[in-house]
Amino acid sequence: MLINKLLYLMLGLVLLTACERLGVPDPAKEAALKEADAKATGSACRHAGRAIEDCYSLNPDAARAPVYAGWKEMNDYMRENSMTEVKPVVEASASASASASEEASASASASASGHASAKASASH
């Protein structure tokens, strides 16, 4: 009788540990991942030499408190180890404007080719 209870208990524990594989969300784990991601974002912003306000505006979905905590931790680490900022090669505003200009040129060329094909079909 004791063996049956022990087997049922072990089976229940195995089933409970497999909840992640079944797609059952774990709110505490998701919150911890979001916080760690926000801290990493703040740390990366500081390492790139960005002001904390720039970091907030570039990452509006990240929670501000962990972003600041990551930024401050990296700031302290950089001071202790006499590190300098690593300037980003691609600026955030430049990449956004570049993608907008690419979209505009793509739509302009599409409309120009549409006009050319319309003229060609009208002449036949």
Side-chain angles (χ1 to χ4, degrees), residues 5-26:
K5 288 182 181 181
L6 187 60
L7 286 174
Y8 286 128
L9 179 65
M10 289 178 62
L11 179 64
L13 290 174
V14 168
L15 291 175
L16 287 176
T17 58
C19 288
E20 290 178 353
R21 294 182 187 223
L22 296 175
V24 177
D26 184 5

Side-chain angles (χ1 to χ4, degrees), residues 90 93-111:
V90 178
S93 60
S95 64
S97 64
S99 64
S101 65
E102 286 175 8
E103 289 177 19
S105 65
S107 65
S109 64
S111 65

Side-chain angles (χ1 to χ4, degrees), residues 23-117:
V24 177
D26 184 5
K29 191 172 187 178
E30 289 177 11
L33 287 173
K34 284 183 84 170
E35 182 176 348
D37 188 43
K39 282 182 80 171
T41 299
S43 179
C45 281
R46 175 59 187 105
H47 192 250
R50 296 192 192 277
I52 190 68
E53 294 84 9
D54 294 339
C55 194
Y56 291 151
S57 65
L58 291 172
N59 303 288
D61 294 337
R64 289 185 172 215
V67 168
Y68 176 73
W71 191 94
K72 187 170 179 346
E73 285 176 14
M74 180 57 82
N75 185 55
D76 295 344
Y77 179 81
M78 289 174 71
R79 281 187 186 191
E80 289 172 6
N81 295 301
S82 301
M83 293 176 62
T84 60
E85 294 91 6
V86 176
K87 294 295 179 190
V89 177
V90 178
E91 293 294 324
S93 60
S95 64
S97 64
S99 64
S101 65
E102 286 175 8
E103 289 177 19
S105 65
S107 65
S109 64
S111 65
S113 65
H115 290 303
S117 63

